[in-house]
Amino acid sequence: MEVNKKTRKRKDQVKPNIIVIIPAYNEEASIAKVIADIPKGLTEEVIVVNNNSTDHTAEVAQAAGATVLNQRQQGYGAACLKGIAYAREKKMPPEIVVFIDGDYSDFPQQMPDILAPIIEQDIDMVIGSRALGKRQKGAMMPQQIFGNWLATRLIRLFYGMRFTDLGPFRAIKFHKLLAIGMKDEDYGWTVEMQLKAAKYKLKVTEVPVDYKKRIGVSKVSGTIKGTFMAGYKILWTIFRYL
């Protein structure tokens, strides 16, 4: 009888207003695949923030059914902030925002797993952990793996919250996202969100997500400069908010 009650509760549950924000820079070969693999009917809107691309990312994303915003200022965080500003001005702002990369390294099909703790357990933020999931060989460079290991241990040491990854595939209640006041405009975006979640005492959890080789070359780990700048910015951000 208890099982039937739980089943009925899930069926009667009002579907939350969910949007997806995808920052994208020169992802014309992958962006349509990302959009197509988001489970149908799960979200109200898919927003692709075209971050000053020099290819046809914007046109491909629009043809695939996404709302396309243009952010001329270069930077991962700048693109995410553009998407948040747009969501804030909507007539009916979302209840939950999902962030996912546009390079097709994540599995959009796993979005229900990312959302489940928020919808069913009233968790504030969920990080998709590549460290806990299945990772294709070569999908993450050694410097990425080490950087995640170091950053998450520093967050645990200084902020008292356990993470295994700074994975970009994540979901958060929109009002909580606004409350933590995100500011970073480039490489420090993911770590800023996680350490602020600790400072503001958000209810946070991780779920395993799978990870595969991205389409195209990474703008961060694919270059020495990008790797160095990302590592520096992540460490700087961790110590900045102490």
Side-chain angles (χ1 to χ4, degrees), residues 29 45 86 136 176 211 214 221:
E45 188 174 16
Y86 168 83
Q136 183 182 16
K176 295 291 185 179
Y211 200 67
R214 59 159 292 146
S221 61

Side-chain angles (χ1 to χ4, degrees), residues 4 7 45 48 61 64-65 70 82 87 111 131 137 146 155 158 171 176 180-181 190 192 194 196 206 211 218-219 242:
N4 290 338
T7 301
E45 188 174 16
V48 172
N70 289 304
K82 181 79 171 183
M111 204 169 287
K137 185 177 181 180
F146 174 74
I155 293 173
F158 293 117
K176 295 291 185 179
I180 63 176
T190 55
E192 182 193 358
Q194 284 168 248
K196 281 188 170 179
E206 292 183 321
Y211 200 67
S218 173
K219 291 78 178 176
L242 284 175

Side-chain angles (χ1 to χ4, degrees), residues 20-231:
V20 180
I21 295 176
I22 309 174
Y25 170 62
N26 288 349
E27 306 289 8
E28 67 176 3
S30 57
I31 193 65
K33 296 178 183 294
V34 177
I35 296 167
D37 281 357
I38 296 172
K40 298 295 184 290
L42 183 66
T43 64
E44 295 296 323
E45 188 174 16
V46 176
I47 301 159
V48 172
V49 184
N50 177 39
N51 194 201
N52 207 23
S53 297
T54 57
D55 65 3
H56 298 289
T57 294
E59 294 90 336
V60 173
Q62 190 170 33
T67 298
V68 176
L69 309 178
N70 289 304
Q71 171 58 286
R72 301 292 295 180
Q73 180 183 342
Q74 203 74 45
Y76 187 92
C80 292
L81 288 169
K82 181 79 171 183
I84 292 171
Y86 168 83
R88 191 203 294 259
E89 297 302 317
K90 286 172 66 69
K91 186 175 181 180
M92 292 188 64
E95 296 168 74
I96 303 171
V97 177
V98 179
F99 294 93
I100 188 170
D101 281 355
D103 59 14
Y104 206 48
S105 54
D106 296 299
F107 289 80
Q109 303 95 323
Q110 294 181 317
M111 204 169 287
D113 298 331
I114 295 281
L115 290 164
I118 298 177
I119 297 171
E120 298 174 7
Q121 302 169 38
D122 199 32
I123 295 294
D124 296 321
M125 184 174 81
V126 180
I127 304 297
S129 172
R130 300 165 295 184
L132 300 177
K134 297 176 181 177
R135 194 168 63 234
Q136 183 182 16
K137 185 177 181 180
M140 291 181 70
M141 303 296 287
Q143 61 267 29
Q144 286 179 283
I145 297 170
F146 174 74
N148 274 336
W149 176 85
L150 178 60
T152 54
R153 273 148 187 78
L154 288 174
I155 293 173
R156 177 181 172 184
L157 176 64
F158 293 117
Y159 295 90
M161 186 169 282
R162 292 172 180 262
F163 292 106
T164 62
D165 196 7
L166 303 179
F169 193 8
R170 55 183 60 200
I172 183 170
K173 292 177 180 177
F174 189 56
H175 73 279
K176 295 291 185 179
L177 178 62
L178 297 180
I180 63 176
M182 292 293 295
K183 297 183 183 301
D184 195 273
E185 297 178 338
D186 46 55
Y187 303 112
W189 174 266
T190 55
V191 70
E192 182 193 358
M193 190 184 296
Q194 284 168 248
L195 62 85
K196 281 188 170 179
K199 286 179 70 72
Y200 284 80
K201 302 187 184 305
L202 269 58
K203 293 181 288 183
V204 181
T205 193
E206 292 183 321
V207 299
V209 294
D210 300 331
Y211 200 67
K212 59 183 179 294
K213 291 182 180 179
R214 59 159 292 146
I215 294 176
V217 178
S218 173
K219 291 78 178 176
V220 179
S221 61
T223 67
I224 295 174
K225 179 182 177 182
T227 299
F228 174 79
M229 291 300 295

